[in-house]
Amino acid sequence: MTEKFKRHFLKAKEAEALLNKASEKLKVDLEQIFKAKANVELIQTEFAEIYLINDKPLLAKAGDNIFPTLVFSEFLLSSPKVFIDMGAVPYVCNGANVMAPGIVRIEGEFRKGDFVLVVDEKHGKPLAVGETVYDVDAAKKVTHGIIVKNIHFVGDKIWNFIKTLLLRPREG
């Protein structure tokens, strides 16, 4: 199954605006991470926009929401983490939101609306990037309902596209 997509580099001002917006949303200084000039390439697919920064698919955008991908290692290392029990893993990997009963522990600080990494309790493997519904203190006290809205997960269209992109030799 081949996906149709368009691909082009962003102009310097567009790239700077994107990185500033993403830095603010992710609460990470992307300029610090990409010390040298960041080359930003946009891949437009039917389901999302994927941004390659220095040839790595690090950001994605669906609708107005820009978020880190599960291959953005600098984000994965520094982000707050929500550990889920192994029984919740298949649900989260099918796009389900993270519910309070499935959470075994929370590491790091976050505010409502921040991105967190959802990981399994056994191996600490990244499963999803989600947006929090509560601040960290409130999230630790809630006993039922959604704690993290699932935005991007292992096995979704973005994940599968990125996997084929990383395996494909670059044209040109």
Side-chain angles (χ1 to χ4, degrees):
M1 181 176 94
T2 56
E3 293 286 340
K4 294 219 178 253
F5 62 89
K6 293 181 190 171
R7 166 175 201 164
H8 68 276
F9 282 97
L10 296 184
K11 293 179 178 143
K13 282 190 177 187
E14 292 173 311
E16 185 180 351
L18 170 82
L19 292 176
N20 287 340
K21 182 178 178 183
S23 290
E24 194 176 302
K25 181 71 178 151
L26 303 182
K27 295 179 175 35
V28 174
D29 186 356
L30 295 177
E31 281 187 27
Q32 185 70 32
I33 292 172
F34 307 116
K35 294 174 183 21
K37 183 175 182 272
N39 289 314
V40 181
E41 190 175 3
L42 168 61
I43 299 177
Q44 294 172 302
T45 69
E46 293 174 0
F47 50 87
E49 294 179 344
I50 297 168
Y51 295 92
L52 278 69
I53 303 172
N54 298 339
D55 292 326
K56 295 179 187 143
L58 303 183
L59 299 172
K61 184 177 178 185
D64 288 335
N65 206 3
I66 190 160
F67 50 90
T69 66
L70 285 164
V71 297
F72 191 169
S73 55
E74 292 87 352
F75 175 79
L76 302 183
L77 291 171
S78 66
S79 70
K81 292 170 184 57
V82 173
F83 290 81
I84 59 171
D85 67 42
M86 297 310 286
V89 169
Y91 297 99
V92 170
C93 291
N94 277 315
N97 291 322
V98 178
M99 309 300 275
I103 296 175
V104 292
R105 80 177 186 271
I106 294 172
E107 287 182 3
E109 296 292 319
F110 56 83
R111 301 190 62 73
K112 179 181 179 179
D114 284 354
F115 289 118
V116 294
L117 186 63
V118 180
V119 297
D120 75 65
E121 68 173 331
K122 193 173 186 179
H123 306 287
K125 267 181 90 170
L127 303 172
V129 172
E131 194 171 348
T132 59
V133 178
Y134 299 98
D135 289 349
V136 67
D137 294 332
K140 288 178 178 179
K141 294 174 188 160
V142 173
T143 58
H144 66 282
I146 298 169
I147 303 296
V148 179
K149 288 185 209 164
N150 196 337
I151 304 289
H152 164 51
F153 55 93
V154 170
D156 70 6
K157 287 181 177 181
I158 295 169
W159 170 260
N160 290 327
F161 184 82
I162 287 171
K163 276 183 21 188
T164 61
L165 192 66
L166 294 175
L167 295 172
R168 178 184 305 150
R170 171 130 174 110
E171 302 102 29

